[in-house]
Amino acid sequence: MSVTSTTTLESQLTTTWGPNNSYPDVPLVMSGYTSRLWTRDNQPQFWSKYQVWEWLQQVMDLNQIDASSIPFQNFDMDGNQLCSLSYQDFLRAAGCAGPLLFHSITDLKWSGQYHVDLGQLELKPELDFSCPFPDVSYPPGEIYDPLTHPLAPVASPTPSSPDIKRSFSRQVKKQNPSGNHLWEFIRDILLNPERNPGLIKWEDRTEGVFRFLKSEAVAQLWGKKKNNSSMTYEKLSRAMRYYYKREILERVDGRRLVYKFGRNARGWRESDK
DNA sequence: TTTCGGTTTCCTGCTT
DNA sequence: TAAGCAGGAAACCGAA
């Protein structure tokens, strides 16, 4: 695995949403997960353990580093504990990824702006992620507790075994408020009105009713996200109709291009924010 | 390697 | 007549 120093968060985000957008009238839409996680209101000091894991996973993903190469058990802590770690602590806890994580959390801590800073998250030239990750994990059943002793093993249930790591990964995925599903993609467009001038619009915000304004443009955007240049609204709408059965969407009879979120759709209500 | 969920593709018929 | 909707069927693909 090797990541060049020119790899930036911006370039990664724009892989799907970037300026090479073939639809000039389609705005750039950052993934809901990214924009949601890195909000100004969400200071790392107050993160829960799950949010720490989300951040960890996100930084790894954004820098194309295999998250499984990080000993997650060393980060079994809440945001307050995370923020108390030193540079050396990060180095020991995460090996080669330590500096990257340290830079990221330092930026988030001190900038006072908990949004993605494309410049700050850029990989530093001195960071070589091609190096094999040292085994910085602790024996099974032991974790790093920064409060008692920096990097001292502490007995606790940990994600040290492959199975637990897998379940952790699932947990992180489950907690991830955004995702790669079509309905989530649609929802995220709706939730970013400033970036969505005229693609899809709410018909009834409280009821979850929305209408496609540029159906083919949305389909193209979805196709771009899925790396499928032959996506059309006809195909997209077929996928949408499959959501009726799962009650992610409800039918809106007699109205073209109009859909409604169902009981199994999450995160679209204003109270969900 | 298998299973499964989530699409994707193609199709026919119906409605607006 | 075109565009959109509905839904069946099969294929595809990535994740578990």
Side-chain angles (χ1 to χ4, degrees):
Chain A
M1 175 188 64
S2 176
V3 180
T4 69
S5 62
T6 56
T7 304
T8 65
L9 174 59
E10 183 172 33
S11 67
Q12 288 156 18
L13 284 174
T14 54
T15 300
T16 49
W17 302 104
N20 56 342
N21 192 335
S22 61
Y23 250 85
D25 59 336
V26 174
L28 304 183
V29 183
M30 189 179 272
S31 82
Y33 173 60
T34 307
S35 58
R36 200 181 307 256
L37 177 63
W38 310 87
T39 60
R40 289 160 198 265
D41 304 332
N42 197 357
Q43 302 180 17
Q45 288 90 338
F46 303 116
W47 284 352
S48 67
K49 196 181 293 183
Y50 286 122
Q51 286 173 303
V52 170
W53 287 346
E54 283 186 323
W55 162 78
L56 192 59
Q57 182 94 27
Q58 179 78 349
V59 174
M60 294 297 103
D61 286 349
L62 291 174
N63 290 284
Q64 299 176 355
I65 300 167
D66 182 6
S68 65
S69 59
I70 300 294
F72 287 111
Q73 68 269 30
N74 292 354
F75 290 91
D76 188 31
M77 64 187 77
D78 60 25
N80 189 39
Q81 292 169 296
L82 182 76
C83 288
S84 71
L85 300 187
S86 69
Y87 182 86
Q88 287 304 320
D89 291 338
F90 273 99
L91 262 184
R92 279 182 288 179
C96 293
L100 173 69
L101 294 168
F102 178 77
H103 282 300
S104 172
I105 201 64
T106 301
D107 174 52
L108 291 171
K109 249 188 331 185
W110 301 112
S111 71
Q113 296 187 8
Y114 303 100
H115 63 282
V116 177
D117 184 327
L118 301 178
Q120 291 290 340
L121 268 180
E122 184 176 354
L123 288 180
K124 301 294 180 287
E126 69 270 22
L127 301 180
D128 177 13
F129 290 95
S130 63
C131 71
F133 282 88
D135 182 10
V136 291
S137 62
Y138 291 99
E142 297 177 343
I143 69 162
Y144 163 44
D145 182 350
L147 287 187
T148 55
H149 188 284
L151 294 172
V154 186
S156 167
T158 84
S160 55
S161 74
D163 281 350
I164 298 176
K165 268 184 180 171
R166 218 174 297 130
S167 85
F168 158 71
S169 183
R170 268 200 298 269
Q171 220 165 357
V172 167
K173 220 170 190 177
K174 209 172 177 182
Q175 295 253 332
N176 189 333
S178 183
N180 288 322
H181 294 169
L182 173 59
W183 73 269
E184 293 169 314
F185 166 78
I186 299 296
R187 178 198 63 192
D188 290 345
I189 291 179
L190 280 161
L191 294 179
N192 288 275
E194 75 281 359
R195 297 167 185 268
N196 167 31
L199 286 183
I200 314 174
K201 89 173 219 208
W202 289 110
E203 289 276 292
D204 186 331
R205 181 72 173 83
T206 55
E207 291 296 313
V209 179
F210 58 92
R211 184 159 60 93
F212 283 85
L213 300 175
K214 295 179 183 173
S215 54
E216 284 301 330
V218 175
Q220 290 288 328
L221 203 51
W222 173 240
K224 192 169 182 65
K225 183 177 169 66
K226 298 292 289 284
N227 205 18
N228 177 358
S229 58
S230 65
M231 179 52 63
T232 63
Y233 176 71
E234 190 180 355
K235 295 172 187 173
L236 182 148
S237 66
R238 180 69 192 99
M240 297 281 281
R241 290 195 293 276
Y242 270 116
Y243 289 140
Y244 293 150
K245 224 170 191 175
R246 293 160 56 199
E247 297 187 89
I248 289 170
L249 293 178
E250 290 178 22
R251 283 189 186 79
V252 178
D253 291 330
R255 301 195 61 195
R256 291 186 165 196
L257 302 175
V258 176
Y259 297 84
K260 180 183 178 183
F261 285 119
R263 57 196 288 188
N264 292 331
R266 299 274 181 267
W268 59 268
R269 290 180 184 86
E270 284 178 298
S271 57
D272 288 342
K273 282 181 181 177

